[in-house]
């Protein structure tokens, strides 16, 4: 497996991965309704920050990706997906490690993300890498806005959680 910076030419493949991963989340009860994927604008934002990495199989085909940006001295993991055929094989762990390494190189103070609190392969996965759940009274305004936006998109706010890793 190779992790490399993504390009705009990867956008369609990244969306296909995201839609396939949506079905894994649906099966776990984390999402419902119509599947959706990142827009060109969202992916371009990660790319503009130099923080859109893609994992590729031996033939060079994308199998996962991680898109992030740095705001208020923290890396925010905006989207990370691995194709179901490649899940539970260390792809997500390697993608996240690459993003965190880049954040450290840029002297970020840490990293944040939002995820489903109940699915065993989401919040517990991030906790195993040092992320800790944030209580409501610890939420920076940025993360509160993200959680509110997720609720407006139809994600169940009772299932969502913000997590942080300090370097």
């Amino acid at each position: 497996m190779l992790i490399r910076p993504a390009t705009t030419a990867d956008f369609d493949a990244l969306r296909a991965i995201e839609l396939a991963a949506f079905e894994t989340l649906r099966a776990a009860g984390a999402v419902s309704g119509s599947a959706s994927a990142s827009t060109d604008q969202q992916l371009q934002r990660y790319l503009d920050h130099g923080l859109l990495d893609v994992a590729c199989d031996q033939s060079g085909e994308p199998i996962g990706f991680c898109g992030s940006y740095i705001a208020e001295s923290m890396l925010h993991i905006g989207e990370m997906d691995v194709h179901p055929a490649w899940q539970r094989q260390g792809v997500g762990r390697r993608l996240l490690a690459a993003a965190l390494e880049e954040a450290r190189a840029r002297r970020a103070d840490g990293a944040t993300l939002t995820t489903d609190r109940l699915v065993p392969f989401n919040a517990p996965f991030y906790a195993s890498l040092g992320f800790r759940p944030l209580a409501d009274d610890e939420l920076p305004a940025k993360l509160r806005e993200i959680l509110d936006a997720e609720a407006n998109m139809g994600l169940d706010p009772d299932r969502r959680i913000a997590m942080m890793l300090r370097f």
Side-chain angles (χ1 to χ4, degrees):
M1 174 180 45
L2 167 73
I3 299 197
R4 63 166 173 80
T7 68
T8 56
D10 293 313
F11 285 5
D12 287 340
L14 302 185
R15 276 192 287 275
I17 291 165
E18 191 172 352
L19 291 172
F22 184 94
E23 297 308 320
T24 301
L25 291 170
R26 182 194 308 276
V31 295
S32 61
S34 299
S36 63
S38 298
T39 64
D40 278 354
Q41 182 181 14
Q42 290 166 318
L43 294 172
Q44 188 63 50
R45 179 181 187 194
Y46 305 138
L47 195 61
D48 289 347
H49 282 261
L51 292 164
L52 181 59
D53 289 328
V54 61
C56 298
D57 65 12
Q58 298 82 348
S59 66
E61 291 299 311
I63 58 172
F65 73 97
C66 181
S68 344
Y69 57 89
I70 294 181
E72 300 171 8
S73 75
M74 298 290 281
L75 176 79
H76 182 73
I77 307 294
E79 189 68 42
M80 188 169 84
D81 292 292
V82 176
H83 190 280
W86 287 89
Q87 290 173 355
R88 299 201 172 287
Q89 297 180 45
V91 176
R93 190 170 296 273
R94 292 214 24 221
L95 282 164
L96 191 56
L100 295 175
E101 182 179 319
E102 181 61 24
R104 283 183 178 99
R106 294 184 187 197
R107 301 197 188 289
D109 294 333
T112 61
L113 57 87
T114 60
T115 192
D116 187 279
R117 74 173 72 234
L118 302 177
V119 174
F121 51 82
N122 276 22
F125 165 73
Y126 295 115
S128 76
L129 297 170
F131 283 84
R132 70 172 185 83
L134 295 175
D136 284 344
D137 63 350
E138 296 179 282
L139 286 175
K142 173 188 73 155
L143 287 177
R144 188 174 308 284
E145 289 172 14
I146 291 168
L147 288 169
D148 289 345
E150 290 173 350
N152 289 335
M153 293 182 333
L155 294 176
D156 181 352
D158 291 333
R159 295 186 66 107
R160 302 302 293 170
I161 190 167
M163 301 181 80
M164 179 182 289
L165 169 69
R166 287 276 183 191
F167 297 151

